[in-house]
Amino acid sequence: MLEWLVALCVVILVVLIWPGSKYFGTESKSDALLRGLGISQQATKDCDGRARAVALVCKPSALANYLLKHCRTFSNYSPCVGCTWRASAFLQSVYEACWPYDSPVQFVRDNLQLSDEGLVSLDWAVPSYQRRRRTSSHSTSPVLLIIPNSFGKFTRNVLKLCETALSHGYLPAVFNRRSHNSTPLTTLKLQQFGDPADLREAVRYIRHRQPAGRLYAVSESTGSGLLLSYLGECGSSSYMTAAVCLSPVFRCQSWFENGLCWPLQWALVLYQKICLSRYKTVLGESIQTDTLFASCSLRGLEEALFCQSGQEGAAPAAQTGTSSICNTSGTWDAYWERNEPLRDVDEVAIPVLSVCAQDDPVRGDAQSTVPLELFETNPHFFLLLTDRGSHCGFSTQPKENAAGAFGAASPAAAPNSGMESRWTNWSHRALLEFFRATTDFFAAEERAKQLAARRRGLGGGAGGRAFRHRSVSTCKRVPACSHNIHAIYNWQRSYTR
């Protein structure tokens, strides 16, 4: 009920105060940003001569050329325009975040006890008509790890992504941080914004439970900070084949400091206070809860939770006998030195696709908030920059037979079974096609590598005759293991060339 009231208040404020022309424009923006990217005129127009609403920004490489050739969804985006609420970036963001969604997906929860006795949880998505609630550990279906926003709310975007992933043969699992989404808080330690320690243990559990399936990851909004931090710290030991960030917030310290427009910030601060209020008594042992609940900004909440060490009235961790929630440095800048998502970005060793919209009201202006130099210089990062799409929206009215044509090309594709909704998200189709294309590219690179090795073997000794007379056992192929780190990352030099 509270979410309905918040959504209603925000909509009324927008309609009465904010100029409608700012949100319901019928013409596409003139993109100085896209023109500055050096994208050719041919690359931004389709066969009819109409300007495309999306551009792929990346460093030229073998994988980039493969994606441009095989990912048709990248250039097939028709955002809603005209005098409709779906053309409004702000209203679309509010709708995706607050409006309830009747999903045919159910969740089976695994509570994971961490090394410090804290709890996180994994919600495995299963269709409602499926009788068996658990998946066999021998399943070869790919696993899709979904990291929601840092506030822990299950949005329509997450539910629809689970629904779409199930219809294409994936096993979706949603990662819930400590105290998020009814996960019990068993220690005084909350997860800092970019601390990947808990996620690392969850990934190990997924690899143990599903050892035969490839692992992919998708994050939304501020949850991308956790995914990027994990990929940077783990490097080639992330156990993931590819990852996607939907409407990510890259420069998070600036995002917290500059703040959002006041209706969005007020709603997010209120939601976070409501979630933390159930732990007010226990949190009072380590932080000043009066300061926490008196905060009126996202930065104030983050500072009250993690940057209050040594303040008067906060009990030291040694006296409470538990792990303190306070940051040991006690300073805002030092906190972000350890939690900024891009701090170890040079160590990322898998393909990462970011899907961003220029009209994103949560992230802010694309020219100042999107690190274009990262995508232009790092061969592991790819950016789909759209003209419209809002924040985690990217909704389009599905075309006939579009889902069927796409589903046949997906890994472990399964019949649709009526799981996809009437209104589909273009970003979900794009990310699944990105996963398929990268997997196919890696498989082709591995076949080429094995063929080259065989040719080198055939070239030795009497024109290759000695090789033909060898025992068959010496030619035995090593079975491919989807979670073998050395097998996954031996393509790195190839696709970054």
Side-chain angles (χ1 to χ4, degrees):
M1 179 61 68
L2 179 60
E3 295 176 4
W4 283 79
L5 293 176
V6 171
L8 180 60
C9 292
V10 172
V11 171
I12 292 175
L13 288 171
V14 171
V15 172
L16 295 180
I17 300 175
W18 288 17
S21 59
K22 184 177 180 180
Y23 305 98
F24 295 98
T26 57
E27 295 186 1
S28 211
K29 290 188 294 185
S30 176
D31 299 338
L33 178 61
L34 288 180
R35 290 197 301 269
L37 294 177
I39 302 173
S40 66
Q41 194 72 9
Q42 295 177 349
T44 57
K45 290 189 176 182
D46 55 22
C47 58
D48 298 329
R50 295 175 299 179
R52 288 180 179 176
V54 58
L56 177 63
V57 184
C58 61
K59 182 180 180 180
S61 64
L63 179 56
N65 295 333
Y66 191 90
L67 294 176
L68 286 171
K69 182 178 179 181
H70 294 87
C71 294
R72 293 178 297 175
T73 307
F74 286 6
S75 59
N76 188 22
Y77 176 47
S78 301
C80 297
V81 294
C83 295
T84 170
W85 69 267
R86 286 187 178 273
S88 164
F90 185 85
L91 294 182
Q92 191 177 161
S93 298
V94 173
Y95 176 76
E96 291 291 335
C98 301
W99 201 261
Y101 180 65
D102 187 15
S103 175
V105 175
Q106 297 180 353
F107 292 96
V108 180
R109 171 160 293 189
D110 284 341
N111 288 312
L112 310 181
Q113 187 172 30
L114 306 174
S115 56
D116 63 351
E117 298 185 355
L119 282 182
V120 296
S121 62
L122 288 172
D123 287 335
W124 296 85
V126 295
S128 57
Y129 56 80
Q130 181 175 313
R131 292 184 178 180
R132 180 181 294 180
R133 303 300 299 276
R134 294 283 178 177
T135 305
S136 171
S137 60
H138 300 290
S139 173
T140 58
S141 298
V143 179
L144 183 63
L145 177 61
I146 302 174
I147 303 176
N149 57 71
S150 60
F151 305 100
K153 182 174 177 7
F154 267 31
T155 60
R156 291 173 59 92
N157 181 62
V158 170
L159 295 175
K160 292 171 72 174
L161 178 57
C162 291
E163 185 178 336
T164 305
L166 278 173
S167 68
H168 289 87
Y170 289 82
L171 300 178
V174 183
F175 173 76
N176 300 302
R177 312 186 196 202
R178 305 179 190 222
S179 79
H180 283 186
N181 196 25
S182 301
T183 302
L185 182 63
T186 57
T187 64
L188 284 179
K189 179 182 178 181
L190 292 177
Q191 184 174 356
Q192 297 182 4
F193 187 88
D195 181 9
D198 295 352
L199 180 60
R200 187 182 299 113
E201 295 192 44
V203 170
R204 290 174 183 168
Y205 168 77
I206 293 175
R207 298 314 312 163
H208 173 75
R209 173 171 169 173
Q210 300 291 337
R214 292 184 179 273
L215 177 60
Y216 304 89
V218 177
S219 60
E220 70 158 0
S221 187
T222 52
S224 299
L226 179 59
L227 177 59
L228 292 173
S229 297
Y230 171 80
L231 295 177
E233 284 201 7
C234 294
S236 59
S237 301
S238 65
Y239 293 97
M240 295 179 181
T241 304
V244 172
C245 300
L246 297 178
S247 299
V249 177
F250 294 103
R251 298 184 171 97
C252 296
Q253 181 177 1
S254 300
W255 186 77
F256 274 90
E257 291 173 351
N258 298 332
L260 302 171
C261 58
W262 69 266
L264 287 176
Q265 179 147 228
W266 174 78
L268 289 176
V269 169
L270 177 62
Y271 179 80
Q272 194 166 6
K273 286 181 180 180
I274 293 173
C275 295
L276 292 172
S277 61
R278 61 181 301 188
Y279 305 110
K280 182 176 181 179
T281 301
V282 67
L283 290 177
E285 299 178 11
S286 58
I287 65 174
Q288 290 183 339
T289 54
D290 293 339
T291 304
L292 174 66
F293 291 102
S295 301
C296 300
S297 64
L298 293 174
R299 172 178 178 171
L301 286 176
E302 198 77 7
E303 282 186 305
L305 283 172
F306 301 109
C307 303
Q308 282 194 8
S309 62
Q311 288 190 3
E312 184 180 355
Q319 295 180 6
T320 59
T322 56
S323 176
S324 174
I325 195 176
C326 295
N327 193 338
T328 55
S329 67
T331 65
W332 178 251
D333 291 335
Y335 173 76
W336 284 109
E337 285 181 4
R338 292 191 301 274
N339 289 277
E340 189 68 44
L342 301 180
R343 62 189 183 276
D344 296 316
V345 69
D346 291 337
E347 301 299 324
V348 176
I350 65 170
V352 180
L353 175 68
S354 298
V355 186
C356 302
Q358 294 194 62
D359 64 347
D360 191 333
V362 175
R363 187 200 62 246
D365 177 62
Q367 198 158 8
S368 60
T369 58
V370 178
L372 297 175
E373 65 281 358
L374 170 65
F375 300 97
E376 295 170 346
T377 59
N378 193 315
H380 296 99
F381 285 85
F382 304 85
L383 171 65
L384 280 180
L385 186 61
T386 66
D387 185 20
R388 297 176 179 269
S390 184
H391 188 75
C392 298
F394 305 99
S395 61
T396 59
Q397 193 163 4
K399 296 180 180 179
E400 248 180 292
N401 301 327
F406 171 67
S410 299
N416 197 301
S417 306
M419 288 293 296
E420 284 196 277
S421 59
R422 178 177 178 270
W423 288 93
T424 59
N425 284 31
W426 167 82
S427 58
H428 298 168
R429 300 197 302 269
L431 69 88
L432 292 180
E433 194 170 36
F434 172 74
F435 290 151
R436 175 194 58 79
T438 53
T439 303
D440 292 346
F441 177 82
F442 288 164
E445 289 287 307
E446 179 64 13
R447 288 193 298 268
K449 181 180 178 181
Q450 292 177 355
L451 180 60
R454 290 179 181 178
R455 287 176 176 174
R456 287 194 297 270
L458 288 172
R465 294 179 182 177
F467 178 84
R468 286 193 293 270
H469 289 289
R470 291 175 185 171
S471 171
V472 177
S473 61
T474 61
C475 303
K476 188 180 299 182
R477 292 186 60 185
V478 178
C481 182
S482 64
H483 62 279
N484 188 327
I485 281 300
H486 301 288
I488 291 177
Y489 293 104
N490 60 7
W491 305 291
Q492 181 178 351
R493 292 182 179 177
S494 174
Y495 79 81
T496 58
R497 65 180 181 268

